[in-house]
């Protein structure tokens, strides 16, 4: 017995050293892994709608786009109730969207695809964007700017001109929240944009990382490189946006179809990367705009009926496309028409209905009581909604409430 005592001491000392080393290594791992997720302010999750508008012209009109909805419906002899009936939903979510201040949650001033590839058109877009960012009343709307992409000569001038122009206006905060970088394909491209933004921030006296960055995934290569693209954006990243039209062309699809298996596969890759980074995934635009077939005064009854049918079909499509994206895990959708913005916001309100949120709050409280009582898992909920709750299911409910 006495001869084995030193061995026991040595063993205990060795085990203590192993434990101490493991604790230090664990702390380093946790610190490193925590840094991989973006500390994204809550307002950046309010991107259920990305309303895009040309930077030239009168982009400030987009800031109150939802106020145009009643007028557009009236022109078409439509009502909220008629649209709700066509969609097969209750009117309440549609009405509640219109009860707000009329502002989309995010507006994107576009100086890329919406602008002709001429020097004068680019100049007008830069001037229009700078004036709108500096002078318009943005309220709580997220302020996004899309410059020309890497392949276009004006991409650098778009950024340097607009960012420096708005910095000269006296505002409480820098009036651009994020840059939307289009047609990205390589991680070194994102690193280059981030480096340019860093130098501009330093030149303008802004804190490092003040200007966030989002990028558009519009090609097969971009989908293939998603994790590298997100890593290159670093802590600037505030969203990843899906562009279905260019992607469909890139992989040779015979038509642009929202629910095509290849497009949903790409969506899932984007959603997974966004989830890994802790940023929103934004779905692509529905190209079928709710615009009438016939215009002008003195339309016949048949023409007006055709207009209503066309607009109702387009509204049903954008609503269904939004719900499809929500079911996959999208956090928002790109739109370009006030009626689209209205229906997408309604789709998100329908998906996160008040009664569901009430159940979620009750479930969180029930699980908290179960944990306080010493249970790691418990059956909570009532009737057909009862389920096994544990730490993982509680996290999912809390994530859903945070989105709401």
């Amino acid at each position: 017995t006495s001869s084995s005592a030193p061995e026991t001491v040595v063993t205990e000392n060795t085990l203590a050293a192993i434990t101490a080393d493991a604790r230090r290594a664990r702390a380093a791992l946790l610190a490193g892994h925590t840094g991989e997720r973006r500390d994204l302010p809550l307002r950046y999750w309010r991107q259920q709608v990305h309303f895009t508008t040309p930077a030239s012209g009168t982009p400030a009109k987009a800031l109150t786009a939802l106020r145009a909805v009643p007028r557009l419906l009236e022109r078409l002899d439509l009502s909220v109730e008629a649209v709700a009936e066509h969609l097969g939903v209750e009117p309440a979510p549609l009405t509640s969207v219109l009860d707000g201040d009329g502002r989309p949650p995010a507006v994107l001033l576009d100086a890329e695809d919406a602008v002709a590839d001429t020097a004068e058109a680019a100049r007008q877009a830069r001037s229009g964007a700078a004036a709108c960012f500096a002078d318009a009343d943005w309220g709580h709307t997220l302020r996004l700017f899309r410059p020309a992409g890497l392949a276009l000569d004006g991409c650098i001038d778009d950024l340097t001109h607009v960012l420096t122009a708005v910095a000269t206006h006296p505002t409480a905060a820098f009036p651009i929240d994020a840059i939307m970088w289009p047609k990205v394909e390589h991680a070194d491209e994102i690193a280059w944009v981030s480096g340019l933004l860093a130098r501009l921030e330093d030149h303008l006296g802004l804190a490092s990382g003040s200007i966030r960055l989002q990028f558009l995934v519009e090609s097969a290569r971009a989908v293939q490189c998603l994790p590298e693209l997100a890593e290159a954006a670093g802590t600037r990243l505030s969203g990843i946006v899906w562009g279905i039209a260019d992607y469909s062309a890139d992989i040779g699809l015979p038509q642009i179809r929202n629910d095509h298996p290849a497009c949903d596969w790409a969506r899932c890759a984007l959603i997974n990367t966004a989830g890994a980074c802790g940023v929103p995934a934004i779905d692509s635009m529905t190209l079928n705009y709710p615009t009438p077939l016939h215009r002008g005064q003195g339309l016949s009854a048949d023409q007006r009926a055709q207009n209503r049918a066309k607009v109702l079909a387009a509204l049903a499509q954008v609503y269904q496309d939004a719900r499809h994206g929500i079911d996959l895990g999208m956090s928002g959708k790109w739109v370009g028409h006030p009626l689209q913005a209205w229906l997408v916001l309604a789709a998100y309100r329908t998906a996160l209905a008040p009664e569901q949120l009430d159940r979620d709050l009750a479930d969180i409280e029930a699980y908290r009581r179960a944990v306080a009582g010493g249970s790691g898992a418990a059956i909570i909920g009532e009737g057909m909604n009862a389920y096994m709750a544990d730490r993982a299911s509680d996290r999912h409910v809390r994530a859903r409430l945070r989105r709401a």
Side-chain angles (χ1 to χ4, degrees), residues 63-80:
L63 299 178
T64 54
L66 292 167
R67 294 181 191 173
V69 170
R71 183 176 70 254
L72 293 172
L73 292 178
E74 184 179 4
R75 286 180 186 173
L76 295 160
D77 298 326
L78 286 172
S79 64
V80 173

Side-chain angles (χ1 to χ4, degrees), residues 50-53 285-286 289 334-338 340-341:
H50 268 210
F51 193 100
T52 183
T53 187
M285 183 181 289
T286 297
Y289 271 26
W334 196 5
V335 305
H337 191 282
Q340 286 189 325

Side-chain angles (χ1 to χ4, degrees), residues 268 271 283 320-331 348 351:
C268 290
I271 291 164
D283 208 354
Q320 291 159 5
D321 288 352
R323 288 304 303 260
H324 180 72
I326 291 168
D327 289 343
L328 288 176
M330 286 288 180
S331 299
Y348 273 87

Side-chain angles (χ1 to χ4, degrees), residues 130-148:
C132 185
F133 282 125
D135 300 329
D137 179 10
W138 284 76
H140 59 254
T141 298
L142 208 64
R143 303 156 297 184
L144 310 174
F145 176 59
R146 178 165 69 158

Side-chain angles (χ1 to χ4, degrees), residues 5-21:
E7 294 180 8
T8 303
V9 172
V10 170
T11 301
E12 289 176 350
N13 289 340
T14 304
L15 182 59
I18 292 172
T19 302
D21 288 344

Side-chain angles (χ1 to χ4, degrees), residues 10-219:
V10 170
T11 301
E12 289 176 350
N13 289 340
T14 304
L15 182 59
I18 292 172
T19 302
D21 288 344
R23 291 187 189 281
R24 284 191 291 269
R26 173 178 175 269
L29 284 172
L30 287 173
H33 294 173
T34 301
E36 292 177 357
R37 293 184 66 84
R38 280 61 176 173
D39 183 19
L40 198 62
L42 190 60
R43 67 194 185 93
Y44 283 92
W45 288 98
R46 296 188 66 257
Q47 298 187 60
Q48 292 92 345
V49 157
H50 268 210
F51 193 100
T52 183
T53 187
S56 53
T58 55
K61 292 172 59 177
L63 299 178
T64 54
L66 292 167
R67 294 181 191 173
V69 170
R71 183 176 70 254
L72 293 172
L73 292 178
E74 184 179 4
R75 286 180 186 173
L76 295 160
D77 298 326
L78 286 172
S79 64
V80 173
E81 290 73 21
V83 174
E85 182 179 2
H86 185 77
L87 298 177
V89 301
E90 293 296 321
L94 280 67
T95 301
S96 67
V97 173
L98 300 180
D99 288 340
D101 63 4
R103 299 178 185 277
V107 166
L108 171 68
L109 302 193
D110 184 9
E112 190 222 8
D113 280 351
V115 175
D117 189 14
T118 67
E120 177 57 22
R123 186 196 66 77
Q124 292 179 3
R126 292 167 195 151
S127 177
C132 185
F133 282 125
D135 300 329
D137 179 10
W138 284 76
H140 59 254
T141 298
L142 208 64
R143 303 156 297 184
L144 310 174
F145 176 59
R146 178 165 69 158
L150 187 70
L152 298 176
D153 290 338
C155 63
I156 297 174
D157 291 337
D158 283 351
L159 286 173
T160 57
H161 178 91
V162 174
L163 268 59
T164 54
V166 301
T168 63
H169 288 253
T171 55
F174 189 72
I176 298 177
D177 292 306
I179 299 301
M180 175 70 69
W181 190 251
K183 295 180 173 58
V184 64
E185 293 203 332
H186 300 90
D188 56 4
E189 181 181 344
I190 292 295
W192 172 79
V193 176
S194 295
L196 177 57
L197 291 178
R199 295 194 66 182
L200 287 170
E201 285 168 342
D202 183 61
H203 171 69
L204 298 172
L206 301 174
S208 177
S210 297
I211 305 170
R212 298 275 181 166
L213 180 62
Q214 304 186 7
F215 58 82
L216 268 163
V217 175
E218 305 175 84
S219 69

